[in-house]
Amino acid sequence: MIKAIKLVVVVLGVLILNGAECRKARILESFEYSAISCRSHSASIVDFGGVGDGKTLNTKAFQEAVNHLSQYASDGGAQLFVPAGKWLTGSFNLTSHFTLYLHKDAVLLASQDINSWPVVDPLPSYGHGRDAPGGRYISLIFGTNLTDVVVTGENGTIDGQGDLWWQQFHKKKLKYTRPYLIEIMHSDTVQISSLTLVNSPSCNVHPVYSSNVIIQGLTILAPVTSPNTDGINPDSCTNTRIEDNYIVSGDDCVAVKSGWDEYGIKYNMPTKQLIIRRLTCISPDSAAIALGSEMSGGIQDVRAQDITAINTESGVRIKTAVGRGGYVKDIYAKGMNLHTMKWVFWITGNYGSHADNHYDPKALPEIKGINYRDVVAENVSMAARLEGIAGDPFTGICMSNVTIGMAKKAKKYPWSCTDIEGISGGVVPQPCELLPEQGEKSVGMCDFPAESLPVEAMELKTCSYGLNYF
Ligand SMILES: *[C@@H]1O[C@H](CO)[C@@H](O)[C@H](O)[C@H]1NC(C)=O
Ligand SMILES: *[C@@H]1O[C@H](CO)[C@@H](O)[C@H](O)[C@H]1NC(C)=O
Ligand SMILES: *[C@@H]1O[C@H](CO)[C@@H](O)[C@H](O)[C@H]1NC(C)=O
Ligand SMILES: *[C@@H]1O[C@H](CO)[C@@H](O)[C@H](O)[C@H]1NC(C)=O
Ligand SMILES: *[C@@H]1O[C@H](CO)[C@@H](O)[C@H](O)[C@H]1NC(C)=O
């Protein structure tokens, strides 16, 4: 966990006694935090005319601050401090070798003036926006083609004020796809940590086409009825570590993606080498971790560990469809604690939801090597619903050491399996025939890789920050 310690706040009011002169207070504020890189240069949003009164629009101040600080990229980098206050802002872009740091009582308030949100092209691996076919409103905090960028704080808040967007979405009044809170594209060495994200208009955190990404210590909150408020969506990313996050949302807590139908197949950029650990999720209508449904660039080597879900629809879910192509393979989930679930295991081969009508019906997804072990669940309506695709069975499914306590009003048959192949060991209640029990010694049989991934070697340094106002 990131430690952000406020060391000193000294306020010295220096009053010159002859009364003729009254010098301004001098405030020295400093603290420490953990980050992939520390910075040589510092500034506060206040230095760029920012006003934290909850009313003044600060978009220009933020963009000017980042533009100004970008000059230090090759000189040790820069950090921008956002003090306590309510900072109303539209979207702004980040730069390389840069840290955005939010004080614990800082709130970035996203502007609710839809007309002030710039529109950008759909992602090439999707071909379309999610809410509407054309462009997308750019995310509140956006970065592209960056190296070494950090967004962090002492659990400071980013408030998407999503209510207005959700209403527009429900009324089908949106011309473009809703914005996310944080999107980082085509970037390398990224940290998003120690923040509280509330009421995003749509998905919260979206690293896409990026590598060496750490997402840590986020508290993400949205009403469980809010539309598409996914927590964290690693999308066509390599080497990503998502850990110690607490998410309550209206969609999947973590949704792993890699492009949609013919657009994703063509772009061909997988998500691989992904760690998700120590996740706590509440999402009554969605999954703790979803793989797909957009997975056309492929998803490989995902390691989920120490997952707690409460009142969540399913655990680690796979969603795909004819026309997606791509693959989901070498998936490992170990140590899941689940309370009040509709399905512990849910794999869906007929998810549908196509980008358009031009998808290739011969583009079948390959789903293989899906390993679940050490799962305890209680108050479950149905143990599993595993549905492959006719003529394209999902293979190498392994479940071991699984104990599922069924709810009082559980379905009569806890397992439903079609077009899948696999094995089980030490699974209660007894699985479907397509997952034959392997006997006494099989309780620890499903794989979980022992060797670590490169992203686990990415270390955080202790950085400090000091500020003087005169
Ligand atoms: C932010 O980046 C996007 C995408 O590159 C661009 O369209 C937009 O103009 C940038 N905004 C500013 C204020 O530079
Ligand atoms: C950003 O990187 C992508 C992928 O390498 C490249 O296609 C694109 O042209 C770059 N954009 C800019 C503005 O440099
Ligand atoms: C941030 O929130 C987390 C989770 O509630 C907590 O464990 C951590 O101590 C907080 N950090 C700070 C600096 O307040
Ligand atoms: C089975 O899972 C539980 C936790 O769910 C764990 O404590 C135990 O060590 C596991 N047993 C084996 C044989 O792996
Ligand atoms: C069990 O799950 C049902 C919903 O299926 C829920 O209404 C009930 O409160 C849960 N019971 C407990 C003890 O969590």
Side-chain angles (χ1 to χ4, degrees):
M1 288 305 294
I2 300 237
K3 270 194 207 138
I5 309 161
K6 182 176 278 178
L7 291 177
V8 223
V9 178
V10 186
V11 181
L12 290 176
V14 182
L15 205 65
I16 305 295
L17 282 173
N18 67 15
E21 197 183 355
C22 178
R23 280 168 61 199
K24 272 189 199 160
R26 178 189 135 108
I27 299 168
L28 169 67
E29 194 164 27
S30 71
F31 45 79
E32 289 183 342
Y33 65 97
S34 303
I36 44 181
S37 326
C38 303
R39 311 299 183 195
S40 308
H41 299 266
S42 302
S44 163
I45 189 64
V46 175
D47 304 337
F48 297 87
V51 180
D53 62 0
K55 292 181 197 134
T56 308
L57 192 64
N58 291 292
T59 317
K60 268 200 183 134
F62 276 107
Q63 198 59 69
E64 278 173 22
V66 176
N67 291 348
H68 176 79
L69 295 173
S70 68
Q71 68 179 299
Y72 300 118
S74 56
D75 180 29
Q79 51 194 350
L80 177 65
F81 175 59
V82 182
K86 289 191 169 161
W87 309 87
L88 183 68
T89 184
S91 163
F92 60 94
N93 292 344
L94 302 174
T95 188
S96 291
H97 305 290
F98 176 80
T99 298
L100 177 68
Y101 186 96
L102 301 193
H103 180 276
K104 70 177 166 43
D105 299 318
V107 182
L108 288 194
L109 279 177
S111 161
Q112 288 197 306
D113 177 4
I114 289 185
N115 297 319
S116 76
W117 290 75
V119 175
V120 291
D121 288 339
L123 292 167
S125 57
Y126 286 72
H128 294 268
R130 182 171 182 160
D131 300 333
R136 326 178 290 140
Y137 294 105
I138 194 168
S139 67
L140 181 66
I141 298 178
F142 180 78
T144 191
N145 301 70
L146 304 181
T147 310
D148 177 20
V149 64
V150 177
V151 182
T152 189
E154 300 162 85
N155 295 344
T157 301
I158 302 175
D159 183 347
Q161 304 206 84
D163 192 47
L164 175 97
W165 294 94
W166 306 330
Q167 289 177 34
Q168 299 279 317
F169 172 78
H170 285 307
K171 290 181 192 152
K172 298 191 164 40
K173 278 193 173 163
L174 288 169
K175 250 198 271 174
Y176 304 106
T177 292
R178 284 166 289 159
Y180 300 168
L181 287 186
I182 304 176
E183 182 171 75
I184 308 289
M185 238 164 99
H186 298 301
S187 296
D188 183 42
T189 314
V190 176
Q191 173 185 342
I192 301 166
S193 63
S194 302
L195 296 168
T196 307
L197 308 183
V198 300
N199 297 333
S200 177
S202 179
C203 304
N204 280 272
V205 179
H206 187 216
V208 57
Y209 317 137
S210 293
S211 51
N212 304 314
V213 178
I214 296 178
I215 299 175
Q216 196 186 58
L218 301 183
T219 301
I220 299 179
L221 307 171
V224 294
T225 52
S226 57
N228 315 110
T229 46
D230 300 28
I232 302 166
N233 292 11
D235 193 349
S236 295
C237 285
T238 298
N239 216 28
T240 303
R241 190 166 113 202
I242 297 175
E243 60 195 7
D244 300 303
N245 297 292
Y246 176 86
I247 302 174
V248 181
S249 81
D251 210 317
D252 303 319
C253 287
V254 174
V256 183
K257 296 177 186 280
S258 66
W260 205 4
D261 290 354
E262 66 272 25
Y263 305 97
I265 293 170
K266 187 169 171 213
Y267 202 76
N268 191 27
M269 192 165 184
T271 288
K272 57 184 186 190
Q273 299 180 314
L274 169 64
I275 291 170
I276 304 166
R277 57 193 176 195
R278 300 184 300 269
L279 168 70
T280 303
C281 170
I282 300 176
S283 186
D285 300 312
S286 299
I289 298 174
L291 307 167
S293 81
E294 304 93 329
M295 38 58 70
S296 302
I299 295 174
Q300 184 170 22
D301 195 355
V302 176
R303 306 172 184 193
Q305 196 167 5
D306 300 327
I307 307 300
T308 301
I310 303 152
N311 192 14
T312 294
E313 194 176 38
S314 61
V316 177
R317 184 181 180 194
I318 298 173
K319 312 188 236 185
T320 187
V322 167
R324 286 286 195 278
Y327 52 84
V328 176
K329 60 188 179 188
D330 308 331
I331 308 300
Y332 311 95
K334 174 179 172 163
M336 297 202 285
N337 231 303
L338 312 171
H339 309 259
T340 304
M341 312 287 288
K342 221 175 202 168
W343 294 282
V344 169
F345 304 108
W346 194 10
I347 296 180
T348 306
N350 66 345
Y351 195 78
S353 171
H354 293 290
D356 52 37
N357 292 328
H358 304 302
Y359 67 89
D360 175 3
K362 292 198 203 92
L364 300 176
E366 182 192 17
I367 312 300
K368 100 175 177 198
I370 314 297
N371 301 277
Y372 306 97
R373 60 180 288 176
D374 308 345
V375 179
V376 178
E378 51 184 46
N379 200 25
V380 168
S381 306
M382 216 177 142
R385 179 171 164 189
L386 308 175
E387 296 165 337
I389 295 172
D392 175 30
F394 298 175
T395 62
I397 296 172
C398 184
M399 293 182 186
S400 66
N401 189 23
V402 174
T403 308
I404 301 174
M406 304 302 293
K408 283 202 187 92
K409 289 184 186 163
K411 296 273 191 295
K412 194 170 167 202
Y413 300 105
W415 295 78
S416 155
C417 306
T418 50
D419 302 298
I420 59 136
E421 294 168 19
I423 50 178
S424 68
V427 175
V428 178
Q430 190 189 347
C432 56
E433 284 173 4
L434 295 179
L435 295 173
E437 160 73 41
Q438 302 300 296
E440 247 169 49
K441 287 194 176 148
S442 59
V443 69
M445 76 179 168
C446 302
D447 257 359
F448 194 91
E451 82 285 5
S452 62
L453 288 173
V455 73
E456 292 178 80
M458 273 176 80
E459 284 183 14
L460 303 188
K461 303 172 179 128
T462 300
C463 304
S464 63
Y465 180 81
L467 245 200
N468 290 290
Y469 301 111
F470 291 99

